[in-house]
């Protein structure tokens, strides 16, 4: 392994068949300096000298900067190199190496050094670089017992990783661990971590946990909107737990807020609750009223609930007619507020459609089951995806004439995708 400037420059010059004179001319570096570097007399040349030689010898930034930082003892120089590496979009692995090296420089105040890396991470937009720096903060803080930055770093890592819908279980467990350090967060961060974990828990169908986390927000939030959103979260979690009376109670509290979306969402929730307790005709009226004026954010919940009500009333044609909203449902997922639960609901809607179409158009039915599986996979719900595919297998067992080579190919592709996320 080449790990000194003497080795890398001599090796590359030899490969390119350059004499020392030719390299000196090409790099605009004095021949004697090159000779001293290759002979090991100068182990750490000036950074500008190395850059000139690297350009002439086609040595990548990653290659020479790794050697340079291993030799550099000045923290300010390492910090400047880190900022340079960020500005030219170096790989996250190199960013991690440079930032770790900066933190490990002797005779530097650990707390100040961690704060510098944390601030640097906070001020950049590139996600993988940001994540690499915050992870460096967390790892170094753990090793050195700097509790505030374990908490702050983990909080920032979670806020990034929670947006990866395919890895919801792992990111939720990571977020839960932050609660062990929550006393080191400021009041605003404490409220935010509880709120986002509550939403996350709901997406994973961990409804009891979602209720508990939301209760913290209601008690401690200073902004009324955080309280309103948390009451909504409790309402829908209790609904999922079939604790309908409690859910209605929280819905009444939710209605007291004056935000623009409250009326629309309240009517939708009232319709959904009525459908669940058997007031189907009233639920239809309320849900259709919502549908006329609803935002794209709520439409998937309204349409899937309407379809369920129509099926219960045996109004299959009306249920099928809801398919003309499909393109709008897909577009609604582009909303920046989209949560995994919305995508999960679309997956459930596709499964509903597949089930309805089984007796009418089996090929189209299978396509919807596969769409359902695909949407479940996008939120890391491999088990649910398998359940959607299993509905195809059950139909084939009843009527094997619908089994085609093309269908087998589609199912195999889906199975492979499920295996990849498992």
């Amino acid at each position: 392994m080449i790990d000194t400037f003497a080795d890398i420059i001599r090796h590359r010059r030899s490969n390119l068949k350059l004499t020392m004179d030719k390299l000196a001319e090409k790099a605009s570096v004095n021949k004697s300096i090159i000779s001293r570097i290759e002979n090991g007399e100068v182990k750490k040349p000036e950074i500008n000298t190395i850059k000139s030689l690297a350009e002439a010898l086609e040595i990548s930034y990653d290659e020479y900067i790794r050697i340079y930082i291993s030799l550099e003892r000045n923290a300010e120089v390492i910090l400047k190199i880190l900022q340079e590496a960020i500005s030219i979009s170096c790989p996250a692995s190199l960013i991690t190496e440079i930032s770790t090296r900066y933190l490990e420089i002797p005779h530097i105040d650990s707390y100040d050094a961690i704060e510098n890396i944390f601030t640097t991470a906070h001020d950049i937009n590139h996600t993988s670089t940001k994540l690499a720096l915050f992870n460096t903060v967390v790892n170094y803080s753990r090793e050195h017992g700097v509790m505030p930055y374990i908490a702050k770093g983990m909080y920032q890592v979670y806020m990034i990783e929670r947006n990866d819908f395919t890895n919801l279980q792992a990111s939720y467990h990571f977020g839960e661990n932050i609660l062990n350090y929550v006393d080191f967060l400021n009041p605003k961060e404490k409220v935010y971590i509880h709120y986002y974990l509550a939403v996350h828990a709901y997406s994973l169908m961990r409804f009891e946990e979602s209720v508990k986390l939301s209760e913290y927000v209601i008690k401690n939030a200073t902004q009324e909107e955080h309280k309103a959103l948390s009451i909504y979260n409790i309402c829908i979690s209790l609904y999922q737990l079939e604790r309908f009376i409690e859910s209605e109670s929280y819905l009444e509290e939710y209605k007291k807020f004056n935000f623009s979306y409250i009326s629309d969402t309240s009517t939708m929730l009232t319709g959904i609750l009525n459908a669940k307790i058997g007031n189907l005709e009233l639920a239809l009226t309320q849900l259709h009223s919502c549908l006329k004026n609803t935002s794209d954010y709520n439409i998937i919940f309204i349409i899937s609930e309407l379809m369920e009500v129509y099926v219960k009333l045996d109004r299959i044609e009306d249920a099928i007619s809801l398919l003309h909203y499909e393109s709008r449902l897909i577009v609604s997922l582009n909303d920046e507020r989209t949560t995994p639960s919305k995508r999960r609901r679309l997956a459930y809607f596709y499964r509903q459609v597949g089930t309805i179409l089984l007796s009418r158009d089996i090929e189209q039915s299978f396509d919807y089951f596969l769409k359902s599986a695909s949407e479940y996979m996008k939120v890391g719900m491999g088990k649910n995806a398998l359940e959607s595919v299993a509905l195809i297998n059950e139909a084939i067992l009843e009527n094997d004439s619908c089994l085609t080579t093309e269908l087998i190919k589609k199912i195999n592709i889906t199975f492979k995708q499920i295996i990849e996320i498992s």
Side-chain angles (χ1 to χ4, degrees):
M1 181 178 176
I2 296 173
D3 55 6
T4 68
F5 284 123
D7 290 338
I8 194 172
I9 289 171
R10 186 170 54 248
H11 178 79
R12 193 61 61 90
R13 182 171 68 81
S14 175
N15 282 353
L16 294 175
K17 295 181 172 54
L18 288 175
T19 64
M20 206 171 283
D21 287 321
K22 284 290 184 183
L23 177 57
E25 181 183 349
K26 189 175 181 182
S28 298
V29 173
N30 192 287
K31 177 182 174 181
S32 65
I33 293 175
I34 298 173
S35 177
R36 291 175 66 203
I37 294 171
E38 289 195 4
N39 291 332
E41 294 176 46
V42 178
K43 299 190 184 305
K44 185 177 76 67
E46 293 293 327
I47 187 66
N48 289 334
T49 299
I50 287 300
K51 286 183 177 182
S52 297
L53 290 170
E55 184 177 352
L57 293 169
E58 301 171 13
I59 300 170
S60 72
Y61 184 85
D62 293 23
E63 285 182 90
Y64 73 78
I65 214 66
R66 281 190 167 97
I67 299 173
Y68 193 86
I69 63 170
S70 71
L71 300 169
E72 182 58 66
R73 297 288 183 270
N74 187 310
E76 290 303 313
V77 172
I78 298 288
L79 190 58
K80 286 179 182 178
I81 290 172
L82 175 62
Q83 291 163 347
E84 178 184 60
I86 292 169
S87 71
I88 61 176
S89 302
C90 285
S93 58
L94 182 61
I95 298 295
T96 299
E97 286 185 48
I98 300 171
S99 56
T100 301
R101 176 62 183 153
Y102 170 74
L103 293 171
E104 290 173 346
I105 291 286
H107 312 302
I108 182 172
D109 183 279
S110 292
Y111 197 95
D112 288 345
I114 296 169
E115 187 172 17
N116 283 338
I117 298 300
F118 185 88
T119 302
T120 300
H122 208 276
D123 291 342
I124 61 179
N125 296 319
H126 193 273
T127 302
S128 63
T129 302
K130 200 179 194 77
L131 190 57
L133 288 170
F134 282 133
N135 272 318
T136 300
V137 167
V138 172
N139 294 334
Y140 186 84
S141 298
R142 281 190 196 282
E143 291 172 8
H144 294 79
V146 187
M147 304 298 279
Y149 278 103
I150 297 175
K152 291 177 180 296
M154 287 182 71
Y155 175 82
Q156 295 296 336
V157 169
Y158 173 71
M159 294 302 287
I160 296 170
E161 291 190 335
R162 67 183 291 275
N163 293 317
D164 179 3
F165 290 178
T166 65
N167 203 27
L168 290 174
Q169 289 283 0
S171 58
Y172 181 73
H173 289 310
F174 183 90
E176 277 187 305
N177 287 331
I178 299 172
L179 299 181
N180 295 323
Y181 305 93
V182 74
D183 289 341
F184 295 98
L185 298 176
N186 64 42
K188 181 179 177 181
E189 289 169 335
K190 289 178 183 178
V191 169
Y192 275 32
I193 190 62
H194 281 85
Y195 172 71
Y196 285 116
L197 279 172
V199 174
H200 202 152
Y202 180 84
S203 297
L204 290 171
M205 297 185 286
R206 302 172 75 146
F207 304 121
E208 294 280 7
E209 292 171 43
S210 186
V211 169
K212 184 178 179 181
L213 290 159
S214 297
E215 286 172 343
Y216 176 94
V217 180
I218 294 168
K219 182 179 178 181
N220 294 280
T222 56
Q223 294 185 30
E224 288 296 293
E225 188 162 20
H226 289 148
K227 294 180 181 180
L229 292 171
S230 295
I231 288 171
Y232 168 80
N233 206 54
I234 292 178
C235 177
I236 58 177
S237 294
L238 291 170
Y239 165 82
Q240 295 290 350
L241 292 166
E242 299 189 355
R243 291 158 58 180
F244 302 126
I245 294 175
E246 293 171 84
S247 181
E248 285 186 86
S249 175
Y250 275 94
L251 177 56
E252 291 307 311
E253 290 299 310
Y254 181 70
K255 289 177 180 177
K256 294 177 183 178
F257 292 91
N258 295 319
F259 301 108
S260 59
Y261 51 81
I262 297 291
S263 177
D264 181 26
T265 307
S266 297
T267 306
M268 177 190 73
L269 289 174
T270 302
I272 290 172
L273 279 166
N274 275 317
K276 201 69 174 179
I277 61 178
N279 298 329
L280 300 181
E281 294 294 345
L282 178 58
L284 275 182
T285 300
Q286 291 165 334
L287 291 170
H288 272 294
S289 173
C290 284
L291 192 56
K292 292 177 184 177
N293 303 303
T294 190
S295 65
D296 280 348
Y297 186 81
N298 283 331
I299 190 168
I300 180 58
F301 302 107
I302 296 170
I303 293 298
S304 62
E305 197 64 40
L306 274 171
M307 180 162 283
E308 203 158 288
V309 173
Y310 278 137
V311 170
K312 287 178 181 177
L313 292 170
D314 200 28
R315 291 169 56 174
I316 303 304
E317 292 300 330
D318 288 326
I320 292 173
S321 72
L322 295 173
L323 278 174
H324 79 269
Y325 286 98
E326 183 179 356
S327 60
R328 187 176 169 190
L329 301 184
I330 295 168
V331 170
S332 76
L333 294 177
N334 295 328
D335 190 310
E336 62 181 11
R337 299 168 297 167
T338 288
T339 61
S341 59
K342 273 187 70 176
R343 194 169 287 281
R344 187 183 76 219
R345 195 66 177 182
L346 179 63
Y348 176 68
F349 170 75
Y350 283 150
R351 188 187 289 181
Q352 289 174 299
V353 176
T355 302
I356 290 170
L357 293 176
L358 264 175
S359 59
R360 292 167 173 256
D361 186 336
I362 199 162
E363 186 175 338
Q364 191 177 19
S365 168
F366 289 174
D367 282 342
Y368 275 101
F369 285 138
L370 291 171
K371 283 184 183 181
S372 172
S374 175
E375 292 301 324
Y376 277 126
M377 284 188 285
K378 290 174 184 176
V379 289
M381 300 182 73
K383 180 182 176 183
N384 297 71
L386 282 172
E387 289 170 355
S388 292
V389 177
L391 293 170
I392 297 176
N393 294 337
E394 289 172 13
I396 292 171
L397 288 173
E398 291 184 12
N399 177 14
D400 61 9
S401 66
C402 57
L403 183 61
T404 64
T405 302
E406 187 62 29
L407 177 60
I408 293 172
K409 288 179 181 178
K410 289 180 181 179
I411 292 174
N412 281 343
I413 290 170
T414 302
F415 275 135
K416 287 177 182 178
Q417 291 171 340
I418 293 170
I419 290 168
E420 285 176 6
I421 68 166
S422 299

